[in-house]
Amino acid sequence: MISQPELKRVRALHQKKVREDEGRFLVQGRKVVAELLASNVRTEVVFATDDAAEWVREKFGRHLPVEVGAPHQLERIGTLERGNELVAVAFSPPPVPFRPPAAGELMLALDDIHDPRNMGGLLRIADWFGVRRLLCSRDCIEVHNPKVVQSSMGSVFRVEVRRAPLADELRACSSAGAHVYLATMDGPAVYDVELARPSVLVMGSESHGLSEAMRALSAGIVSIPRFGGAESLNVAMAAAALCTEFARRAR
């Protein structure tokens, strides 16, 4: 059985402030915990039911710190609607310093993204297209929110994320020779724009698009041409479409 103080400590990681203060976050479910244990992100402890604990030991070795708890205890510390059989506590990676895009690199910059599923989707899209680094504005949802971690399906462990004043970071990238592109609803079609690298593609919020601070930047503009009647795409869909064109041009 997991002790009551330990249950209380881990359950507190549901809260953003505690995650930030403790430098730890939750990883849940067999798929995402497996991705964690295969990554370079440090794991503090794994809590599991009997069956899940045996699965962890068989797959990753018996040296891992695994604490077995009753199903009702795992339900208390997990955040999933069902299936809280496996909950790991991971150490948050240290903050990363500013580095402009390297030669040939594409980075994504996210301006005021709030929806956890969109953020998780953006991490997966970055991972899919080989985009290794994300810049996030201070107003973005944290990537270690449990819903973001779950939605990323493990990509959060492979994509480096830096949170910073975004306009300042983009100006610094531009000064270092990177090409900055703003994704909008009303700009020239991405197919008609010369996409030079190194580059940073800036995606705006789901509800309001790019902020005024972003629109004030000296940058290229790209959009996705519409051929049907849909009013809009969510930010993750739009990022996938634009990254496809960036990747196609780089071949």
Side-chain angles (χ1 to χ4, degrees):
M1 296 287 284
I2 305 168
S3 70
Q4 287 301 314
E6 189 76 337
L7 282 173
K8 183 177 179 180
R9 180 184 78 88
V10 177
R11 187 172 172 79
L13 294 173
H14 291 201
Q15 304 170 48
K16 177 182 177 182
K17 184 178 187 307
V18 177
R19 291 193 294 271
E20 291 177 341
D21 290 346
E22 296 293 325
R24 291 165 173 79
F25 64 100
L26 298 179
V27 182
Q28 303 167 85
R30 296 195 184 197
K31 160 66 178 171
V32 188
V33 169
E35 293 277 7
L36 166 67
L37 297 177
S39 76
N40 294 323
V41 177
R42 292 170 55 216
T43 303
E44 181 185 47
V45 63
V46 178
F47 299 96
T49 60
D50 281 319
D51 288 346
E54 189 58 29
W55 176 82
V56 170
R57 291 172 181 136
E58 288 179 359
K59 191 171 180 66
F60 296 100
R62 297 186 176 272
H63 63 284
L64 285 169
V66 179
E67 293 192 24
V68 177
H72 73 271
Q73 292 185 306
L74 272 293
E75 289 292 339
R76 283 191 61 194
I77 62 177
T79 66
L80 303 179
E81 291 183 7
R82 58 182 180 277
N84 291 294
E85 62 170 355
L86 192 58
V87 180
V89 177
F91 290 98
S92 304
V96 295
F98 170 76
R99 290 180 293 120
E105 184 179 7
L106 170 66
M107 292 173 57
L108 279 182
L110 307 180
D111 179 32
D112 203 18
I113 304 300
H114 292 164
D115 184 272
R117 289 177 177 81
N118 274 342
M119 179 62 86
L122 286 160
L123 286 161
R124 292 176 72 180
I125 289 159
D127 193 17
W128 179 270
F129 285 99
V131 175
R132 298 303 178 198
R133 294 194 286 153
L134 257 63
L135 286 175
C136 291
S137 69
R138 298 283 194 195
D139 293 330
C140 282
I141 187 171
E142 43 140 2
V143 296
H144 294 142
N145 175 290
K147 290 182 179 179
V148 174
V149 174
Q150 202 65 28
S151 297
S152 82
M153 296 302 288
S155 292
V156 68
F157 308 126
R158 289 185 289 272
V159 178
E160 179 183 286
V161 178
R162 174 174 164 81
R163 296 174 68 89
L166 192 54
D168 292 342
E169 295 275 301
L170 293 173
R171 280 190 285 266
C173 287
S174 182
S175 295
H179 302 266
V180 178
Y181 298 94
L182 307 178
T184 71
M185 289 280 291
D186 51 7
V190 66
Y191 311 128
D192 301 326
V193 176
E194 181 182 355
L195 302 177
R197 296 198 186 203
S199 52
V200 185
L201 174 61
V202 187
M203 307 299 302
S205 76
E206 303 86 352
S207 302
H208 306 294
L210 293 168
S211 64
E212 289 301 318
M214 294 302 102
R215 292 180 177 274
L217 294 171
S218 177
I221 305 293
V222 294
S223 68
I224 302 165
R226 178 171 54 183
F227 300 100
E231 180 181 356
S232 64
L233 300 173
N234 72 33
V235 64
M237 293 176 182
L242 292 169
C243 284
T244 297
E245 183 62 13
F246 272 87
R248 187 186 72 83
R249 300 282 188 94
R251 292 179 64 182

